[in-house]
Amino acid sequence: MSPPVLPTPASDPQQWLARFGDELYRFALGRVADTDTAAELVQDTFVSALGALDSFRGQASERTWLFVILKRKIIDHYRREARSPFVPLDLSPEHAPEAEFFRPADGHWREEQYPADWPAAGPDQNRADLALEQQEFQEILQLCQQRLSAQQRAVFVLRFVEELPAEDICKELGLSSANYWVLVHRAKLHLRRCLEKNWLQAPTAA
Amino acid sequence: MSRIPSPLFNCQQATLLVERRAAAPLPVRPRVQLWAHLHLCPHCRRYALQSARLAHAARPAAEAAVPANLALPAAARARMQQLFDAHGSAQG
Ligand SMILES: [Zn+2]
């Protein structure tokens, strides 16, 4: 028989689902982009939180505490994803993904891959246009993220959405610092091109 | 960062250093070489601007992707309720 668990008065697990369930789910869904996985991460969060109730002493609010656990679950999710199909990073220059973008002989951009000029928010644009353009850009960025390789996506999301320091990401994903930079670079190269294809070519409401 | 290949005449190296530069200052030599490359190469200048834009947009895009009133799917919610019910009866 275990001693009675006496959480602080603020901690009431029976209220968690009603009070924080939707919010945790939305947070997860913005980061994993698939509803089943997002719900699973929330469920894992509750399981861990219930198991660790003793360690919750009300230093932080329950809400903050649950989000800390969820963020941990999201990192674990990306670690599993990035590790499952092992992709060798050390390829010969001709076979490396970079060769799609740069000529292996001299490292210059291939002509057909030259970055195009992106529309900047000019002074002649009104606020509604800007907001629409911003929204379009964000939606396409999300779609493009889904097309990255698992490793590139893991690195990109953990760095630029979760804003983890590079050293932490290397530790979590078991990457050398050199390989980390190669993955960041590849993710950016692919995202940049994907956005250019799908955003600039999109019919604009003229 | 011991051996950094020169980005002076190499766009692949230059764009890789653009990424590293965003996280921490580069050693003097590659920093000067990158500066010179960006000065001469309009393609990498564009890449640098667009790469920074992607970095800044990533988080807002993740937040904006989910409607503000979206709720947990009913089936998932029911599964989690069982979890709490089981926990509650184990306590009580
Ligand atoms: Zn260049």
Side-chain angles (χ1 to χ4, degrees):
Chain A
M1 197 176 97
S2 56
V5 176
L6 291 175
T8 55
S11 164
D12 182 2
Q14 295 305 324
Q15 299 293 313
W16 287 351
L17 186 54
R19 288 177 63 197
F20 310 117
D22 294 338
E23 201 187 350
L24 290 163
Y25 174 66
R26 287 194 293 267
F27 185 88
L29 190 55
R31 282 150 179 84
V32 297
D34 128 58
T35 53
D36 289 347
T37 309
E40 234 168 78
L41 290 172
V42 174
Q43 176 158 341
D44 290 354
T45 298
F46 285 143
V47 170
S48 293
L50 288 173
L53 209 48
D54 288 351
S55 73
F56 178 72
R57 296 269 174 264
Q59 317 89 323
S61 76
E62 278 173 295
R63 182 177 168 280
T64 306
W65 186 60
L66 289 169
F67 269 98
V68 168
I69 299 175
L70 175 59
K71 285 179 190 180
R72 183 66 245 170
K73 299 290 176 194
I74 291 170
I75 296 172
D76 291 345
H77 163 77
Y78 278 108
R79 189 174 53 203
R80 283 191 303 269
E81 263 214 333
R83 281 191 169 172
S84 43
F86 178 74
V87 180
L89 281 168
D90 300 311
L91 299 165
S92 62
E94 299 77 43
H95 295 107
E98 286 83 355
E100 261 185 73
F101 301 90
F102 305 103
R103 300 194 303 235
D106 57 10
H108 284 203
W109 287 97
R110 291 180 184 279
E111 202 173 331
E112 68 276 16
Q113 300 287 346
Y114 283 170
D117 201 12
W118 287 4
D124 50 333
Q125 256 183 322
N126 67 41
R127 294 177 69 89
D129 278 353
L130 255 179
L132 184 69
E133 191 176 287
Q134 174 97 333
Q135 191 194 335
E136 230 174 52
F137 185 88
Q138 290 179 339
E139 283 169 11
I140 297 170
L141 175 57
Q142 285 273 304
L143 288 176
C144 290
Q145 263 171 245
Q146 295 315 309
R147 297 190 197 166
L148 293 176
S149 77
Q151 277 184 315
Q152 289 171 20
R153 188 170 50 243
V155 165
F156 185 83
V157 170
L158 294 181
R159 179 65 195 98
F160 297 108
V161 180
E162 285 304 292
E163 298 175 348
L164 293 185
E167 313 86 77
D168 293 12
I169 300 173
C170 288
K171 236 179 284 165
E172 296 291 350
L173 304 184
L175 293 170
S176 70
S177 144
N179 283 352
Y180 167 81
W181 288 114
V182 167
L183 285 169
V184 170
H185 188 217
R186 286 179 185 171
K188 287 280 192 73
L189 285 165
H190 281 114
L191 284 176
R192 206 208 61 74
R193 185 175 62 184
C194 177
L195 262 151
E196 197 161 292
K197 277 189 186 157
N198 295 283
W199 176 50
L200 295 187
Q201 323 277 289
T204 45
Chain B
M1 4 175 118
S2 43
R3 280 267 300 128
I4 296 180
S6 168
L8 197 48
F9 303 111
N10 187 316
C11 296
Q12 183 178 331
Q13 292 306 330
T15 51
L16 181 69
L17 286 192
V18 163
E19 301 304 335
R20 297 180 70 142
R21 181 181 70 171
L26 296 169
V28 175
R29 203 180 147 82
R31 193 191 326 157
V32 172
Q33 289 174 334
L34 177 60
W35 179 86
H37 184 108
L38 291 177
H39 192 71
L40 297 168
C41 178
H43 311 301
C44 289
R45 271 206 305 280
R46 264 185 198 162
Y47 175 93
L49 285 174
Q50 294 169 358
S51 170
R53 185 164 173 185
L54 289 177
H56 289 138
R59 192 173 195 141
E63 317 266 305
V66 185
N69 55 357
L70 189 75
L72 263 170
R77 180 181 293 273
R79 262 198 326 272
M80 291 183 216
Q81 189 55 58
Q82 286 174 3
L83 191 78
F84 285 105
D85 290 348
H87 178 82
S89 52
Q91 299 301 305

